[in-house]
Structure formats: structure tokens, C-alpha cells
Amino acid sequence: MSAPTASPAAKMSPEARRRLENLAKFWNDRIKAVRSDAALAQVCFDRARAAARQAQRDGNARAMHELAEMLATWASRQEDAHARRHTR
């Protein structure tokens, strides 16, 4: 059995941890303020897009493409489910 590993947060500098906590607070405050599912989806999309942009700036050239693939997969599943419900 291998020894337990430290969580990624445990390896962060105090400054990095504070930035991450501030970022989480920013997004959590926006999520708490939404009044509809559509607004929630928009906030979550904005968060994902912001994270993908940051990942690109950090050197992950595929980040936005990976986000697009995940969204396309989700949309495809929803479209498929809709088509199946309406062909009975």
C-alpha cells in the first residue's frame, strides 16, 4: 500500500492559496446571486471560459478546445435524449 499523498492545495504557496480562495469567492458570490437556471448556466459558462483562457495563458494551448469538446458532448447527449423522447 502506498503512502497517502498531500492534496494539491497543501503544496501551494500562501499567496497562491489566497488567490484561489479569492477566485472561489468571486465565482461563489456570482452563483449565489443568480435567480434562474439560465443565469446559473451563464455564470458557470463564464467561469469555465475564464479558466480555459487562464490555462491558455499558462501554456495549455488546447484548453479552449477541450472545453468546447466537453460542451459539444453534453449538447449531443441532450439532443439525443430529446430525439428519443419524441420518437415514441
Side-chain angles (χ1 to χ4, degrees):
M1 182 180 273
S2 62
T5 58
S7 70
K11 297 177 185 177
M12 281 186 212
S13 69
E15 296 82 17
R17 187 172 301 123
R18 186 179 66 251
R19 282 192 303 272
L20 188 59
E21 288 168 356
N22 288 342
L23 188 60
K25 181 182 181 328
F26 170 79
W27 289 113
N28 289 336
D29 288 349
R30 288 192 64 197
I31 288 169
K32 288 177 189 172
V34 300
R35 298 290 177 244
S36 70
D37 287 344
L40 176 61
Q42 185 63 55
V43 169
C44 292
F45 176 75
D46 291 345
R47 182 180 188 178
R49 187 176 53 198
R53 285 180 178 157
Q54 184 62 56
Q56 285 180 319
R57 286 191 295 271
D58 290 344
N60 181 352
R62 290 195 36 85
M64 197 64 73
H65 187 84
E66 291 168 359
L67 174 58
E69 286 178 337
M70 289 190 330
L71 289 168
T73 298
W74 182 88
S76 178
R77 286 194 314 255
Q78 296 304 310
E79 293 160 352
D80 186 62
H82 174 76
R84 289 177 191 280
R85 281 191 303 270
H86 293 281
T87 57
R88 293 181 196 171

